[in-house]
Amino acid sequence: MHNYKNKLLIISVFILITSLINPLSTKAQLANFGQNPPGLKWWFLDTEYFTVIYPTGMEREAQRMANTLEHIYPAIQKSLPGSSRKTAIILQNQGVISNGFVTLAPRHSEFFTTPPQDFEPADWLNLLAVHEIRHVVQIDKTIDRFKIPLFEEGQFGVFGLTFPIWFIEGDATVIETALTNTGRGRQATWEKEFRANLLSGNRFSYSKNYFGSLKDNVPDFYRLGYYMSTHIRLNHGDSVYNELFERSLKRFPLPYSFSRSLKQLTGKTTAKYYQEVLDDLEERWSLQSIKTKPEKYSTLNSTVKMETNYTLPHRYDDEHVLALKSGLGTTPRITKINIQSKKEETVLRLGFQTDDYFDYVDDLIVWSELRFDPRYSYRTYSVINTYDLKTKKKKQLTNKSRLFSPVLSPDKSKIAAVEISHANEYNIVILDAQTGKQIQKLENEQNVFFQYPIFNEDGSKLASTFSTTKGRSVVVYDLQSGASEIILPNTFKNIGVTDFNGDEILLTSDENGIDNIYLYHFKNQNLKRISNSEYGAVNAQFDGGKTILFNQIGVLGAEIANAELLDNDFPVEDYFIHYTAPLIEREAGESVFENIPQETFIPKKYSEFKNLFNFHSITPFAEDLGNNDILYSLELKSDNLLNTANTRIQSSYNTQTRGFEYGASFTYKKYYPQFSVGYLNRKRLGLAQGIQNGNTVFVPFSFRQNEIDLAASIPLSFSTGNNSYSVIAQASTLYTSRYNVSIPLQNFRTEVKFPIKYSLGFARASRRSARDLASPWSQIIRFSYESLPFEPSLSGKVLTFRTSFTFPGFAKHHAIIAGFNYQDASGVYTNVIDIPEVNGSEFITRNQKIHNTLLTRYRFPIAYPDWELSTLAYIKRIKGGFFADFENLKYANGGLLTYGAELSLDANLLRFYLPTFDLGTRLIFFNDTKKTSPKIELTLNIGF
């Protein structure tokens, strides 16, 4: 089951929320998502409600989406009416990661066009359109109350502050389900975690089901939101649902405006309403379980104490099974399990994948991994890799490919994979398993979307599920003749083929309302259900005789089971709880994708130059510059839709100088180097040394200063295997001129000409699990050098070298962090401190310059309490640590300066999903006999 979370939407909303909550925060940048390679040519289609922007090659899909969006929009808006505004939809086809998001600042939506392999029986772009356009409708209803020109960031902030993200996404998932023949709410896979927890007695708190857990298998906020939103509409009607939306906005910016409005309309706060929803679901699922009379199958893997999955089991030998292990405390890896002793051995750590998948035949493993364009993050690839367990050799077979779900032929000579082109043309290709060279492409005249192909036992045939707008079916290809046969009629049930032997195919399906294993016989064309799992049985493989090796869904994740199932024939009556069924007639009454018009819209060239400036927001913010210096600002922002140009025009008031500042900046990111130019005019303060009555005095003075800065940078990031890498090279300079000096001064410099600063950084990090406090192995190194080559009358330079390294600690999820930093400063830079300082540096009086620092940390988790502290906070993890910091090693009076301990909490505050807070305290001891008492610091880190 796919899980296309709108992470970009969430991050965008809550970066702004942080800025609004904390006025002394840094400025937010909502539009900095990524760029496409510069060679793309862009076009657009105009409709009444949308502008569809697309690259060359996507003409067919763009025309289809223009017609589809225009047709479905009234139905999507029906249950949440408001004013309509034109929205830009960008079809992004350069990547292989399936996603979509809607944002303001600037107003647009992006559809990432490559479908995921684990997608439900539907057309990817169609379902994406319903879900994302519902977000457009939600935002437009918010804007109706805040119609202020150039206020998009503020409007988006109101949207994110008013409504919990579960409501935003849950509502969109309800519409996605009610307006289509499929949708996640119609799939048994969608409910499995929620259902398993309730039926096993795990009635987790509202906060835990919302914010998640680092020990239990808690479903995400999409599922919470789906059931909560559906329950509100089922029990209180659409008019109350609309009223809830409107009253929540009227109460903004009062705290808990949504929960207060929900209580006013239903009599229950959010947390109490959640308990009512649990009661309803528990009753429905308990009755379902009584009817299905499920069976429990014995498991082969070891017992787990936290959420852990052992998926896609393959028989290795009589005593061992291979599986893909992942979970809260484990990064994805292929593990070999002894089914007698339950001992495990890690065979291979996997890199980032579009979905967790691998295949295995006779000591050879094949899988696909993500690869990123180093510079253009919107261009990604899915490449095929193999690993030989005997020789321990790993091989990348393809480069810059778009291949998914690779599977090995029984003789290991061939690999079948799904290929998706930039134009969303779908094919199954056969590759040489040694070279990766394509040797066959299977016919697909109807351009159906293939998912998870499999070979039969001798490699002469290949079966695959496929999806269209009419649902899902199964096709079998004869690889010699090329002939194909569809063996099952179209269905909107979530079926998938898993193994193929002789005249029998194993499938997974939710025909009876729960994912179970089915057996299809070619000769009699009979389909029968052979498993009766309580929470789900998937990924079945023939395991000799009548035994099936498969995954059994458990409370803490997917377990490995085997059982004699082939003679079973359970009834296939549908017991699924169709939670949104009563809403279908209230909405369109049928799928909105019936009778889509076929109008041809006139394509026009999209000029990046003409659309370079797109002013969308005037944003107030405040920035703490230190030393009681606060900068209050208004900033006019422009971001073009392709995110290649960002413009800022700013006016500020500085509380320390009591002067106004103004400036502008422009960044251009289309080409390999990024370029930026900025101008700032501001008031500055200084002290002039003089002699009065024979005494040295310091006279304050002020002046204004013009600054023009130029910078060029090349940011690169990529991954290979289990490691991610980034490199950034940057050069910058600044011209400064000064005027309006308040008093006459001698030798006052009125300009500083172009100091040059170079920097080069490198980072590498191995993949970390959710429980890891740091990457188990990482290295960060950064050099910088600044000098004054164009100022003969000024001299000075500063060279800095910064590092940070992480290592595994003495227990799982512990981390050792060490960083050595060095600087060499002279001339006008003598008093510059450009490297990290020791803890407690603000309490230290120095009598020498800083030359180097060595900072060491040991951090470890203490507990995972999942405490709900009323509406104030949710505590997910308690952490501890020790530190010892050194300064000026190998210099006189250098060495250990401070040491101590720290304690902190990972928390969500005031029931906001993002940002997350790391709240703590630090006890600092000083290695100085003059400082007898330690200092206590409070710490706060904010994450997204």
Side-chain angles (χ1 to χ4, degrees):
M1 183 66 180
H2 79 286
N3 190 17
Y4 71 94
K5 299 180 180 180
N6 300 319
K7 297 176 182 175
L8 296 174
L9 166 65
I10 300 166
I11 291 171
S12 299
V13 171
F14 286 98
I15 285 176
L16 179 58
I17 287 173
T18 307
S19 299
L20 295 174
I21 292 174
N22 179 9
L24 302 182
S25 66
T26 58
K27 294 174 282 185
Q29 168 60 37
L30 270 67
N32 193 24
F33 302 131
Q35 291 83 45
N36 283 290
L40 294 182
K41 305 298 182 184
W42 293 88
W43 303 78
F44 72 97
L45 307 175
D46 252 334
T47 72
E48 181 179 355
Y49 298 115
F50 301 97
T51 299
V52 180
I53 303 170
Y54 62 96
T56 299
M58 287 294 290
E59 292 82 4
R60 174 177 56 85
E61 294 287 59
Q63 290 284 351
R64 183 170 74 88
M65 278 295 98
N67 279 285
T68 299
L69 291 165
E70 200 70 17
H71 177 73
I72 68 177
Y73 180 69
I76 295 173
Q77 194 187 40
K78 176 184 174 184
S79 58
L80 205 62
S83 59
S84 302
R85 296 163 182 81
K86 198 158 189 171
T87 304
I89 308 292
I90 304 177
L91 302 184
Q92 301 284 5
N93 74 335
Q94 294 297 297
V96 298
I97 301 172
S98 309
N99 208 342
F101 68 88
V102 177
T103 185
L104 292 177
R107 177 187 177 90
H108 74 297
S109 176
E110 298 191 17
F111 292 6
F112 295 81
T113 60
T114 303
Q117 281 288 286
D118 56 354
F119 186 55
E120 53 257 29
D123 178 274
W124 164 249
L125 286 179
N126 280 359
L127 213 58
L128 193 64
V130 175
H131 188 99
E132 301 306 330
I133 300 310
R134 183 62 169 195
H135 288 318
V136 171
V137 169
Q138 295 167 346
I139 290 170
D140 284 346
K141 197 169 183 69
T142 301
I143 292 174
D144 283 346
R145 291 199 56 81
F146 298 92
K147 293 180 179 179
I148 304 172
L150 294 174
F151 191 56
E152 287 188 5
E153 277 196 350
Q155 291 162 342
F156 209 31
V158 171
F159 180 58
L161 281 167
T162 302
F163 302 107
I165 195 67
W166 66 254
F167 180 74
I168 294 170
E169 294 297 353
D171 173 64
T173 306
V174 170
I175 292 300
E176 163 197 321
T177 304
L179 292 182
T180 70
N181 289 321
T182 180
R184 284 169 285 184
R186 296 177 187 257
Q187 311 300 316
T189 303
W190 174 252
E191 67 181 27
K192 65 180 185 294
E193 292 93 352
F194 223 126
R195 183 174 175 272
N197 283 332
L198 273 182
L199 293 184
S200 64
N202 290 335
R203 285 181 66 102
F204 297 133
S205 70
Y206 165 73
S207 291
K208 184 166 180 172
N209 251 323
Y210 184 16
F211 302 122
S213 170
L214 287 171
K215 59 182 179 181
D216 292 303
N217 190 15
V218 177
D220 58 42
F221 55 76
Y222 281 74
R223 292 161 172 80
L224 171 66
Y226 169 74
Y227 291 112
M228 293 278 283
S229 297
T230 301
H231 194 273
I232 294 170
R233 291 187 63 184
L234 289 177
N235 289 274
H236 301 282
D238 294 342
S239 60
V240 169
Y241 197 71
N242 258 283
E243 186 69 13
L244 172 61
F245 207 99
E246 292 170 358
R247 286 195 184 193
S248 299
L249 289 170
K250 287 178 183 177
R251 290 177 177 270
F252 178 84
L254 297 176
Y256 309 111
S257 59
F258 178 85
S259 187
R260 292 175 186 272
S261 299
L262 182 66
K263 183 177 181 181
Q264 190 173 9
L265 292 168
T266 67
K268 293 182 174 67
T269 61
T270 306
K272 289 184 177 179
Y273 201 87
Y274 161 78
Q275 294 298 331
E276 182 179 301
V277 173
L278 291 193
D279 291 340
D280 182 26
L281 291 173
E282 187 173 13
E283 180 180 358
R284 292 172 185 251
W285 283 330
S286 296
L287 289 174
Q288 180 196 45
S289 186
I290 292 171
K291 293 176 182 178
T292 58
K293 299 177 181 178
E295 297 181 358
K296 176 74 173 177
Y297 304 101
S298 59
T299 59
L300 304 182
N301 54 273
S302 59
T303 303
V304 297
K305 297 181 180 180
M306 71 181 108
E307 185 263 307
T308 306
N309 294 288
Y310 295 87
T311 58
L312 300 161
H314 288 73
R315 175 65 66 175
Y316 181 75
D317 57 27
D318 291 342
E319 297 181 352
H320 297 88
V321 171
L322 294 180
L324 198 166
K325 182 181 180 181
S326 62
L328 292 172
T330 308
T331 58
R333 65 194 62 193
I334 308 299
T335 186
K336 184 168 69 173
I337 304 164
N338 186 306
I339 58 179
Q340 300 299 324
S341 67
K342 310 296 185 183
K343 291 183 178 180
E344 298 180 22
E345 174 190 347
T346 296
V347 172
L348 175 69
R349 297 178 190 271
L350 299 183
F352 297 96
Q353 298 181 282
T354 54
D355 65 319
D356 293 338
Y357 185 80
F358 83 104
D359 189 36
Y360 167 78
V361 173
D362 189 23
D363 286 320
L364 189 63
I365 295 172
V366 64
W367 75 102
S368 61
E369 275 185 3
L370 277 169
R371 293 291 184 268
F372 297 83
D373 183 294
R375 169 62 182 84
Y376 298 103
S377 61
Y378 271 13
R379 180 161 64 184
T380 55
Y381 307 99
S382 181
V383 302
I384 306 298
N385 299 273
T386 60
Y387 180 77
D388 191 310
L389 272 70
K390 285 185 177 178
T391 64
K392 311 296 183 185
K393 288 185 178 180
K394 179 180 175 182
K395 182 190 294 185
Q396 181 176 316
L397 290 180
T398 64
N399 292 287
K400 297 185 177 181
S401 57
R402 297 165 60 88
L403 298 169
F404 307 86
S405 305
V407 59
L408 283 161
S409 63
D411 64 359
K412 303 188 296 183
S413 67
K414 300 174 184 177
I415 295 171
V418 177
E419 182 180 57
I420 303 177
S421 75
H422 289 103
N424 272 19
E425 295 167 339
Y426 313 121
N427 291 103
I428 294 177
V429 296
I430 311 296
L431 310 176
D432 185 290
Q434 291 298 315
T435 65
K437 192 173 183 179
Q438 180 178 311
I439 56 180
Q440 188 177 0
K441 180 181 288 188
L442 303 184
E443 184 177 328
N444 184 20
E445 290 183 357
Q446 302 301 315
N447 198 39
V448 301
F449 174 50
F450 295 111
Q451 296 164 279
Y452 300 115
I454 56 169
F455 285 100
N456 69 342
E457 80 284 359
D458 63 6
S460 63
K461 295 182 179 181
L462 185 143
S464 178
T465 52
F466 67 87
S467 297
T468 68
T469 55
K470 297 179 181 179
R472 182 170 293 168
S473 188
V474 177
V475 63
V476 176
Y477 284 92
D478 186 304
L479 297 180
Q480 297 298 320
S481 66
S484 62
E485 176 188 3
I486 296 176
I487 63 170
L488 290 176
N490 285 319
T491 177
F492 288 106
K493 293 295 184 179
N494 198 16
I495 62 172
V497 295
T498 59
D499 205 3
F500 187 0
N501 188 11
D503 292 327
E504 297 177 326
I505 287 184
L506 288 174
L507 304 100
T508 297
S509 176
D510 56 4
E511 289 282 343
N512 78 315
I514 300 165
D515 286 323
N516 268 296
I517 302 167
Y518 290 72
L519 184 69
Y520 178 81
H521 293 270
F522 279 94
K523 288 184 178 179
N524 56 21
Q525 297 184 348
N526 179 47
L527 181 69
K528 65 177 183 177
R529 180 162 68 92
I530 61 174
S531 74
N532 192 29
S533 175
E534 184 173 13
Y535 305 133
V538 295
N539 300 324
Q541 301 275 314
F542 291 109
D543 196 32
K546 297 180 182 180
T547 304
I548 304 295
L549 184 67
F550 61 98
N551 277 134
Q552 175 178 242
I553 304 303
V555 175
L556 288 175
E559 306 165 337
I560 302 173
N562 70 337
E564 293 188 356
L565 303 179
L566 287 178
D567 290 339
N568 292 340
D569 192 0
F570 294 102
V572 191
E573 186 174 351
D574 188 359
Y575 294 110
F576 185 67
I577 306 301
H578 293 275
Y579 208 53
T580 53
L583 299 181
I584 295 174
E585 289 304 317
R586 295 191 207 171
E587 297 291 349
E590 61 178 357
S591 170
V592 291
F593 298 116
E594 303 295 331
N595 305 313
I596 298 292
Q598 300 296 317
E599 181 180 349
T600 300
F601 295 91
I602 299 173
K604 301 174 185 177
K605 285 187 177 181
Y606 183 81
S607 170
E608 184 195 356
F609 180 76
K610 291 180 180 179
N611 295 280
L612 200 62
F613 298 100
N614 178 30
F615 291 98
H616 53 76
S617 301
I618 297 177
T619 304
F621 68 92
E623 191 172 1
D624 188 354
L625 304 177
N627 298 319
N628 297 317
D629 187 4
I630 301 175
L631 193 69
Y632 295 100
S633 302
L634 280 177
E635 189 170 65
L636 174 62
K637 298 184 177 182
S638 165
D639 298 282
N640 69 336
L641 295 180
L642 298 182
N643 194 34
T644 57
N646 312 120
T647 305
R648 302 290 183 263
I649 300 172
Q650 180 178 324
S651 178
S652 310
Y653 179 78
N654 189 303
T655 58
Q656 189 179 67
T657 65
R658 298 182 182 180
F660 285 94
E661 305 178 2
Y662 54 88
S665 65
F666 177 75
T667 303
Y668 194 57
K669 301 177 289 187
K670 179 175 181 177
Y671 298 108
Y672 219 78
Q674 295 183 3
F675 300 98
S676 64
V677 58
Y679 168 75
L680 178 63
N681 182 286
R682 56 177 173 161
K683 184 180 179 181
R684 301 297 304 271
L685 302 178
L687 288 174
Q689 182 176 337
I691 302 296
Q692 185 175 1
N693 298 326
N695 297 318
T696 300
V697 295
F698 292 92
V699 180
F701 69 98
S702 66
F703 58 95
R704 293 202 68 84
Q705 179 167 294
N706 288 305
E707 298 175 6
I708 300 174
D709 63 89
L710 302 168
S713 63
I714 302 177
L716 305 176
S717 60
F718 53 95
S719 70
T720 178
N722 197 44
N723 297 302
S724 297
Y725 301 85
S726 65
V727 178
I728 183 166
Q730 185 173 35
S732 60
T733 188
L734 177 71
Y735 173 77
T736 303
S737 66
R738 297 161 177 163
Y739 66 99
N740 282 0
V741 184
S742 60
I743 60 175
L745 292 173
Q746 293 182 349
N747 301 320
F748 179 72
R749 296 193 61 84
T750 58
E751 63 178 0
V752 180
K753 298 177 182 177
F754 304 112
I756 303 292
K757 184 174 183 178
Y758 304 96
S759 61
L760 177 65
F762 168 82
R764 171 194 171 276
S766 61
R767 198 169 179 180
R768 60 189 285 188
S769 72
R771 280 195 167 198
D772 290 331
L773 294 182
S775 168
W777 299 96
S778 72
Q779 303 85 38
I780 301 173
I781 302 171
R782 183 180 177 184
F783 297 90
S784 68
Y785 178 76
E786 186 171 357
S787 64
L788 294 150
F790 303 107
E791 281 286 0
S793 59
L794 290 178
S795 64
K797 61 181 177 60
V798 56
L799 171 69
T800 64
F801 170 66
R802 308 182 195 182
T803 65
S804 179
F805 301 93
T806 65
F807 310 91
F810 300 112
K812 198 171 183 180
H813 312 307
H814 289 215
I816 300 171
I817 305 170
F820 178 75
N821 310 284
Y822 168 82
Q823 75 171 33
D824 180 17
S826 63
V828 296
Y829 299 101
T830 295
N831 296 317
V832 167
I833 300 176
D834 203 21
I835 58 175
E837 297 184 72
V838 300
N839 275 311
S841 59
E842 62 270 30
F843 304 111
I844 297 171
T845 302
R846 293 187 178 88
N847 55 16
Q848 61 179 330
K849 295 194 306 181
I850 295 180
H851 299 281
N852 60 64
T853 57
L854 174 63
L855 312 178
T856 63
R857 309 279 185 272
Y858 189 90
R859 291 178 176 165
F860 52 90
I862 296 175
Y864 305 93
D866 293 345
W867 288 336
E868 183 180 52
L869 306 180
S870 185
T871 61
L872 298 177
Y874 172 68
I875 310 300
K876 188 179 292 186
R877 175 167 52 189
I878 303 174
K879 303 172 295 185
F882 304 101
F883 65 89
D885 294 344
F886 303 79
E887 185 175 288
N888 289 346
L889 294 173
K890 293 190 177 181
Y891 283 82
N893 302 318
L896 178 66
L897 231 61
T898 63
Y899 59 94
E902 54 191 10
L903 183 71
S904 63
L905 311 171
D906 287 338
N908 296 85
L909 302 183
L910 302 178
R911 288 196 167 153
F912 285 112
Y913 188 81
L914 289 176
T916 57
F917 293 87
D918 181 348
L919 304 162
T921 184
R922 182 180 295 130
L923 182 63
I924 306 171
F925 295 90
F926 298 87
N927 190 29
D928 184 343
T929 56
K930 296 178 182 179
K931 293 184 179 294
T932 57
S933 59
K935 297 291 184 181
I936 297 176
E937 283 186 345
L938 299 179
T939 61
L940 170 64
N941 294 301
I942 299 175
F944 295 92

